[in-house]
Structures are given as C-alpha cells and as structure tokens.
Amino acid sequence: MRRATFISVSAAAALIVALLVGGSSAAARGPSPQLRAKEARAQAVIAQVGALDRRFEQVTEAWDGARVELSRTRVQLDRNRNALVVAERQSHRAQRRLQQRTVALYEGQTLTTIDVVVGSTSLGDMLDRLQAAHDVATSDALLVKSVTRAAERLRRTRAKLQGIAHARVVALSQLKTNRAQIGSMLAERRTLLASVQKEVATIRERDRRQQLALAAA
C-alpha cells in the first residue's frame, strides 16, 4: 500500500514538474513565425521608404537648382532684349543718317570736291577740307558697320539664350514629373509601412496574450 502511494505521489510530482517546465517554455518562447515575418516585412518597407526619401530629396534639389538657372536665363534674355532694342534703334538711325548724307551728296546739298577746291583759301585749307569731308563720310560708314555688327551679335546671343531657356524648361518639366512620381511612390510606401506596423503591433499583442494564457494554465 505504501509502495502504491509512493508511486502515485512520484507520478503526480513528475506531472507537475512537466507542466511547469512546459508552461515556462511556452511563456519564454520567442516571437511567432507570423510575427517574425511581419517584422521582416516592416523592415523591408522601411528600407524602401528610406531609399525613396533620399531620391525625392535629390530630385527636389535638382528641381530647385533648375528653377534658379531658368530664372537667371530669363533675366539674361530680358537684358538682351532691351540691349537689342537699343542697338537696332542705333543701327536704323545710323543707316538713315548715311542714306540722307548720300542723297544730299547726289542732290548737290553737300560740298563736292570742286566746291572744296574753289572755296579754299590755300592749299592747306583745301587739303583740310577734303580730309574733313572724307573723315565725315568714313565716320558715318564705320558707325553703321559698328552698330549693325553689335545688333547682329545681340541677335546671335538672343538665339543662343532662347535655346538654353528651352532646354532648361524641358529639363525642369522632366524633373517636376520625376519628383511627382517619386512623391507618389513615397506616400504609397509610407501608407503601407503604417499598415504593416499596425499588423505587427496586433500580432505582437496576440502572441503576448497567448503566452500569458499558457503561463497561467
């Protein structure tokens, strides 16, 4: 009888120890496979968000720089336009002056070489008058060439600036599109991250309650 009682007590003690060990193991076990999978998913999305955030920052900086460069080019175009207006006005004025002098020469309204010779008081005076007439004609012609060349240089510069401005407008438009696309992807990833993190918190709380229940059993 004593032997049977001893065996029963020993068996009960072994069962209690087994339950305690099992309960402790259940309570002390690590995260569930589902929780580990969700946490890994969250880390992957966090990495994606970080990469997109860096790309968005880079594109934004490039976009801001392109806007500044385009603004500078437009300022240069405005200055060129004003300078070209002045140069063309000067060119037209010089050409008109040269034409008027040429017409006056043919119509006899200016001194001819004979007039200079007849009206001169001495050989030196005649040479001075001839040189003066030649200098005036040469000066008018040089002025026309100078202002015409200046206007032409400004036109070439304007064409070049217009090409640069067009290229920068295209580049700015592309950067704006890229920025919008990356921003949309970034917002989508952030929304996904918030959802995954919420699922992680839910699974973690469920696992915690299960472990508490096992420990209390």
Side-chain angles (χ1 to χ4, degrees), residues 24-182:
S24 298
S25 299
R29 67 180 180 178
S32 65
Q34 185 180 11
L35 178 58
R36 286 196 297 269
K38 280 297 178 183
E39 287 178 337
R41 175 62 172 158
Q43 290 300 319
V45 176
I46 288 173
Q48 292 172 359
V49 169
L52 285 171
D53 198 30
R54 288 189 293 273
R55 285 179 57 192
F56 184 79
E57 183 178 355
Q58 292 171 354
V59 172
T60 298
E61 289 179 356
W63 181 59
D64 289 338
R67 287 195 301 169
V68 171
E69 292 300 325
L70 179 59
S71 178
R72 289 176 180 172
T73 302
R74 285 173 173 169
V75 169
Q76 291 175 336
L77 273 171
D78 289 339
R79 292 175 179 172
N80 173 269
R81 184 185 301 109
N82 295 334
L84 183 57
V85 169
V86 173
E88 288 179 339
R89 186 181 299 124
Q90 291 175 343
S91 177
H92 294 328
R93 187 182 298 118
Q95 290 177 9
R96 187 165 55 251
R97 178 180 175 182
L98 182 60
Q99 290 171 355
Q100 290 173 349
R101 192 176 298 278
T102 302
V103 171
L105 177 63
Y106 280 105
E107 291 180 350
Q109 295 178 5
T110 58
L111 293 176
T112 63
T113 303
I114 295 177
D115 293 331
V116 171
V117 172
V118 172
S120 299
T121 58
S122 64
L123 178 60
D125 183 42
M126 180 187 69
L127 293 176
D128 289 341
R129 290 192 176 196
L130 287 173
Q131 184 62 45
H134 178 268
D135 290 344
V136 169
T138 302
S139 176
D140 288 344
L142 290 176
L143 178 61
V144 170
K145 289 182 180 180
S146 176
V147 295
T148 300
R149 288 174 180 173
E152 184 58 32
R153 284 195 300 270
L154 287 170
R155 291 190 191 96
R156 289 196 298 267
T157 300
R158 179 168 181 77
K160 182 179 179 180
L161 287 173
Q162 286 175 333
I164 293 173
H166 176 71
R168 285 178 174 167
V169 167
V170 172
L172 183 62
S173 177
Q174 184 61 49
L175 286 170
K176 183 178 180 180
T177 300
N178 292 345
R179 183 174 180 270
Q181 290 175 346
I182 295 173

Side-chain angles (χ1 to χ4, degrees), residues 11-30:
L15 179 60
I16 292 172
V17 170
L19 289 173
L20 289 174
V21 172
S24 298
S25 299
R29 67 180 180 178

